[in-house]
Amino acid sequence: MADDLEVLENGGNESGRSVYHEAISDAATEDNAVGGKSKKQKVPLPEDKVPVRIFFLLKHIIDNKDDQLFLIGTLIQNVFHSMNADDGDESTSYFHLRFNDLIADNDSGYSKVRNHESLEDSSKTTFQMTAPLEVDVDFDYFPFKIYTATLLVELSTRTEKTKRIRPELWVAKNDVRNNVTLQSPYLKDGIKKKNKEERTELYKDKMDKMKDYDFVSPCPKVEYIYDQKNECCHKCRLTFYLVEGGISKWVGILVPMLLVFVLDVVNVFYNDTENGDTLSTSATLALTAVFLLPNILSKAYRPKIIATNMVYILLVFIGLALSSVTHEMQNSKIAAYTGVALFGFSFIIPIVSFFKFSEYKQSILEEEKSFMKNDLKHEKFKHDVH
């Protein structure tokens, strides 16, 4: 087995530190006669902790007609313990999987056993993985949004006769690619001529089979979750960061709003009752802004008490409302000028959001280093059970 394989230590979601912990038994019940009455008393069930290694080879992410995302890849599970198959049933010699709390087996279609090898004291099972991803908004500063597509993988505890067997993940701490890696998009010719940016784009093209999202980075954030109650680690989480529609998404919002602002300025400063109907023009501009609302508040939006989306919308519509106050209504254009100023001030929000977005995006790209650094020199882990 590889020199850098150990098990996870402590409750932090880090793949780098590890130690092997002793299990704490769960409780079982049995009937005992006490004073002539039957009373249930908790009795510890014998329990073993078994070292297990799981390896992910990630191929791409796709979406279906319902816009649900799925991660396609290969999962290899090495069990360093003798769990003999009952009556030739291979499913009793490995730990069953759950993806985002859903059972992942042949019936669900989320994982299918492709190959199984058993030796005297270990086994290796290869799964074809079609795992559903949970999508949520992680960064939301108008008009920029970053989404997370998350896969939580859990190894289920199993019972072998009168003994409970709990999986304990072993983690490669020196190189994360011995735990999770991306399928190489390279062709044999011209690999060494490509720089890091070109190789990253090749990975994006290989991984991205989605219609509505683009990758911030094709490399996932990898976390191993420590169960403090049972003092073991049997869960890991992969997180991908996505943007919706790339740059075209926010350009399609800001450019029309900028046009509405320019027309509002013309309407207030250069229009009068002799040259046109100011009120009807303001109503047309407001109606245009209303039609842009579905793009500002997307279906994935979760309301907050104070959100940049809502502040921007309020500034725009208050500004348009004040801009519609004509000189004849108030004998002054102070209200109209104030409305134009509020509308113009609203564009500070996307400017500030751009800098926040760039900073957050850069922190995500730091995750690439463990995957992309010297990736051409990486000697792949040989998935042997010994």
Side-chain angles (χ1 to χ4, degrees):
M1 192 165 52
D3 293 337
D4 61 346
L5 279 182
E6 292 186 9
V7 262
L8 195 68
E9 177 186 33
N10 298 328
N13 296 333
E14 300 288 337
S15 63
R17 303 172 303 181
S18 26
V19 73
Y20 195 79
H21 294 274
E22 182 180 350
I24 292 181
S25 299
D26 287 346
T29 62
E30 68 175 11
D31 291 342
N32 294 296
V34 178
K37 296 181 180 179
S38 179
K39 181 179 180 181
K40 290 186 176 181
Q41 181 180 358
K42 292 184 178 180
V43 176
L45 186 68
E47 183 174 299
D48 282 345
K49 294 178 70 175
V50 174
V52 181
R53 173 182 179 268
I54 55 175
F55 169 80
F56 297 91
L57 176 63
L58 308 181
K59 298 179 180 179
H60 54 263
I61 295 179
I62 61 173
D63 49 9
N64 60 13
K65 60 181 180 181
D66 298 323
D67 295 330
Q68 185 177 7
L69 300 184
F70 291 89
L71 176 62
I72 308 300
T74 299
L75 186 151
I76 298 175
Q77 181 184 139
N78 296 101
V79 179
F80 303 102
H81 172 77
S82 177
M83 295 194 302
N84 296 324
D86 297 336
D87 299 326
D89 184 5
E90 292 180 351
S91 66
T92 63
S93 59
Y94 57 82
F95 291 98
H96 290 217
L97 301 168
R98 288 180 179 270
F99 294 156
N100 289 332
D101 297 325
L102 300 175
I103 296 175
D105 55 14
N106 290 340
D107 294 334
S108 66
Y110 296 147
S111 72
K112 296 182 179 180
V113 177
R114 198 172 68 189
N115 186 46
H116 179 79
E117 302 174 24
S118 293
L119 296 178
E120 182 178 353
D121 58 353
S122 60
S123 66
K124 182 179 79 170
T125 308
T126 303
F127 300 87
Q128 176 63 41
M129 179 177 66
T130 306
L133 299 176
E134 289 187 355
V135 180
D136 200 3
V137 177
D138 184 60
F139 177 92
D140 187 6
Y141 283 84
F142 176 80
F144 302 96
K145 285 188 178 181
I146 295 178
Y147 298 82
T148 55
T150 305
L151 173 63
L152 178 65
V153 179
E154 178 183 357
L155 298 180
S156 300
T157 302
R158 56 177 297 127
T159 301
E160 193 174 88
K161 296 182 179 179
T162 60
K163 181 173 58 176
R164 175 166 296 178
I165 301 178
R166 191 179 299 277
E168 175 75 273
L169 282 176
W170 280 26
V171 177
K173 64 178 183 178
N174 291 335
D175 195 328
V176 70
R177 291 169 295 180
N178 284 330
N179 303 315
V180 180
T181 192
L182 308 180
Q183 189 178 55
S184 175
Y186 301 142
L187 300 175
K188 292 184 178 180
D189 297 331
I191 294 178
K192 296 182 179 180
K193 298 179 181 180
K194 300 183 183 299
N195 57 34
K196 179 181 178 296
E197 289 72 22
E198 291 174 330
R199 298 199 304 272
T200 302
E201 289 303 315
L202 287 176
Y203 274 113
K204 285 185 177 181
D205 293 339
K206 175 68 173 62
M207 287 286 294
D208 187 3
K209 305 298 180 184
M210 300 172 287
K211 294 178 293 185
D212 297 328
Y213 296 97
D214 295 325
F215 279 111
V216 175
S217 169
C219 305
K221 179 181 179 181
V222 183
E223 300 169 286
Y224 291 85
I225 303 172
Y226 184 75
D227 183 354
Q228 295 193 16
K229 178 181 177 181
N230 297 300
E231 295 190 351
C232 69
C233 173
H234 59 97
K235 295 181 182 180
C236 69
R237 179 166 53 213
L238 308 181
T239 303
F240 295 89
Y241 292 90
L242 313 171
V243 290
E244 189 176 13
I247 193 172
S248 61
K249 179 71 176 181
W250 58 269
V251 168
I253 298 174
L254 287 183
V255 172
M257 292 306 298
L258 184 61
L259 176 61
V260 172
F261 172 68
V262 172
L263 294 177
D264 189 43
V265 171
V266 172
N267 184 49
V268 170
F269 286 91
Y270 301 102
N271 199 7
D272 53 41
T273 54
E274 296 180 357
N275 296 327
D277 189 346
T278 302
L279 192 60
S280 63
T281 303
S282 299
T284 302
L285 296 177
L287 186 61
T288 303
V290 168
F291 278 113
L292 292 173
L293 273 179
N295 292 325
I296 297 176
L297 298 177
S298 66
K299 60 183 179 180
Y301 176 71
R302 293 185 177 182
K304 298 179 181 179
I305 297 177
I306 299 178
T308 53
N309 311 58
M310 300 304 299
V311 173
Y312 180 80
I313 291 172
L314 288 174
L315 287 174
V316 168
F317 280 96
I318 292 175
L320 286 174
L322 293 176
S323 299
S324 64
V325 178
T326 63
H327 179 77
E328 289 73 17
M329 293 179 181
Q330 202 182 31
N331 293 325
S332 171
K333 282 195 172 185
I334 294 178
Y337 293 158
T338 303
V340 171
L342 285 176
F343 198 166
F345 181 77
S346 69
F347 287 99
I348 293 180
I349 292 178
I351 294 174
V352 173
S353 296
F354 172 77
F355 290 103
K356 288 182 175 292
F357 172 77
S358 300
E359 181 181 1
Y360 190 68
K361 182 179 177 181
Q362 187 60 38
S363 69
I364 295 172
L365 294 177
E366 291 294 320
E367 297 288 334
E368 283 187 357
K369 291 184 177 180
S370 57
F371 284 89
M372 300 299 296
K373 184 179 180 180
N374 298 324
D375 60 320
L376 297 178
K377 302 178 182 179
H378 175 54
E379 182 177 353
K380 295 183 179 180
F381 181 82
K382 296 181 179 179
H383 314 298
D384 297 330
V385 293
H386 278 313

